[in-house]
Amino acid sequence: MLELGFLLLAVAQPPSQPPPPPAPITGITAKLGREDGKPELIATVTSDGKPVPNVGVTFSLVRSFGDLTLGQDTTLDDGTAAAPFPAGLGADAQGGWTFKVALTSPETLAGQAATLRVESLAAPSSAAVPSRRELWSRSAPWSVLITVLALAGSAWAVYGFAGYQLYLIRQGGKDA
């Protein structure tokens, strides 16, 4: 009898209807703003001039070998989403940054993107600052250089040892 009660409860509930499809996005804008004195990236998502809430947004920095994700947010009722501008971020050769704002959810909107070019943020350009050894700069950090050279040196040492052994075999087993 208990089983029948659960069955009736499940049948008595109205079927759930799928959510309405999201409105097509007609505009993604990105700008640089400040909150509490700290710089942040702000994206606004609109559809026919009206803000679109609850859209997933990913903020990325465009680099030579791919995009560096800086943060993710969901748009508010006013259609805006924000991510903090990272401190100490090295600029490109022109002394600025190129950011990409991409929509990630819902799936029907995923992939749409906009870019933002920031030329100055009251920070000196990379041309005026001596090059620091960082992963995104032209000069790699010493720890990375030493690791790569040690690995390459180890491989060449194995090749040298194998060549020396082949030389000894060719000499007929005599010490050279």
Side-chain angles (χ1 to χ4, degrees), residues 159-172:
Y159 296 148
F161 179 74
Y164 179 69
Q165 294 297 317
L166 289 173
Y167 172 75
L168 290 179
I169 291 171
R170 189 151 183 104
Q171 293 298 322

Coordinates of all heavy atoms in Angstrom, one line a residue, residues 159-172:
Y159 N 73.9 9.6 -24.3 CA 74.4 9.4 -25.7 C 75.9 9.3 -25.7 O 76.5 8.4 -26.4 CB 74.0 10.5 -26.6 CG 72.5 10.7 -26.8 CD1 71.9 11.9 -27.0 CD2 71.6 9.6 -26.7 CE1 70.5 12.1 -27.1 CE2 70.2 9.7 -26.9 CZ 69.7 11.0 -27.1 OH 68.4 11.1 -27.2
G160 N 76.6 10.1 -25.0 CA 78.1 10.0 -24.9 C 78.6 8.7 -24.4 O 79.5 8.1 -24.9
F161 N 77.9 8.3 -23.3 CA 78.3 7.0 -22.6 C 78.1 5.9 -23.6 O 78.9 5.0 -23.7 CB 77.5 6.8 -21.3 CG 77.8 5.5 -20.6 CD1 79.0 5.4 -20.0 CD2 77.0 4.5 -20.7 CE1 79.3 4.2 -19.3 CE2 77.2 3.3 -20.1 CZ 78.4 3.1 -19.4
A162 N 76.9 5.9 -24.3 CA 76.6 4.8 -25.2 C 77.7 4.8 -26.4 O 78.1 3.8 -26.8 CB 75.2 4.9 -25.8
G163 N 78.0 6.0 -26.9 CA 79.0 6.1 -27.9 C 80.4 5.6 -27.5 O 81.1 4.9 -28.2
Y164 N 80.8 5.9 -26.2 CA 82.0 5.4 -25.7 C 82.0 3.9 -25.6 O 83.0 3.3 -25.9 CB 82.3 6.1 -24.3 CG 83.6 5.6 -23.7 CD1 84.8 6.0 -24.2 CD2 83.5 4.8 -22.5 CE1 86.0 5.6 -23.6 CE2 84.7 4.4 -21.9 CZ 85.9 4.8 -22.5 OH 87.1 4.4 -21.9
Q165 N 80.9 3.3 -25.2 CA 80.8 1.9 -25.1 C 80.9 1.2 -26.4 O 81.6 0.2 -26.6 CB 79.5 1.5 -24.4 CG 79.4 1.9 -22.9 CD 80.5 1.2 -22.1 OE1 80.7 0.0 -22.2 NE2 81.1 2.0 -21.2
L166 N 80.3 1.8 -27.4 CA 80.4 1.3 -28.8 C 81.9 1.4 -29.3 O 82.4 0.5 -30.0 CB 79.5 2.1 -29.7 CG 78.0 1.8 -29.6 CD1 77.2 2.8 -30.5 CD2 77.7 0.4 -29.9
Y167 N 82.6 2.5 -28.9 CA 84.0 2.6 -29.3 C 84.8 1.5 -28.7 O 85.7 0.9 -29.3 CB 84.5 4.0 -28.9 CG 85.9 4.2 -29.0 CD1 86.5 4.4 -30.3 CD2 86.8 4.1 -27.9 CE1 87.9 4.6 -30.4 CE2 88.1 4.3 -28.0 CZ 88.7 4.5 -29.3 OH 90.0 4.6 -29.4
L168 N 84.5 1.2 -27.4 CA 85.3 0.1 -26.7 C 85.0 -1.2 -27.3 O 85.9 -2.0 -27.5 CB 84.9 0.1 -25.2 CG 85.4 1.3 -24.4 CD1 85.0 1.1 -22.9 CD2 87.0 1.4 -24.4
I169 N 83.7 -1.5 -27.7 CA 83.4 -2.7 -28.4 C 84.2 -2.8 -29.7 O 84.7 -3.9 -30.1 CB 81.9 -2.8 -28.6 CG1 81.2 -3.0 -27.2 CG2 81.5 -4.0 -29.5 CD1 79.7 -2.9 -27.3
R170 N 84.2 -1.8 -30.4 CA 84.9 -1.7 -31.7 C 86.4 -2.0 -31.6 O 87.0 -2.6 -32.4 CB 84.7 -0.4 -32.4 CG 85.1 -0.4 -33.8 CD 84.3 0.6 -34.6 NE 84.6 0.6 -36.0 CZ 83.9 0.0 -36.9 NH1 82.8 -0.6 -36.6 NH2 84.3 0.1 -38.2
Q171 N 87.0 -1.6 -30.5 CA 88.4 -1.8 -30.2 C 88.7 -3.2 -29.8 O 89.8 -3.5 -29.5 CB 88.9 -0.8 -29.1 CG 88.9 0.7 -29.6 CD 89.8 0.9 -30.8 OE1 90.9 0.4 -30.8 NE2 89.3 1.7 -31.7
G172 N 87.7 -4.0 -29.6 CA 87.9 -5.4 -29.2 C 88.0 -5.6 -27.8 O 88.6 -6.5 -27.3

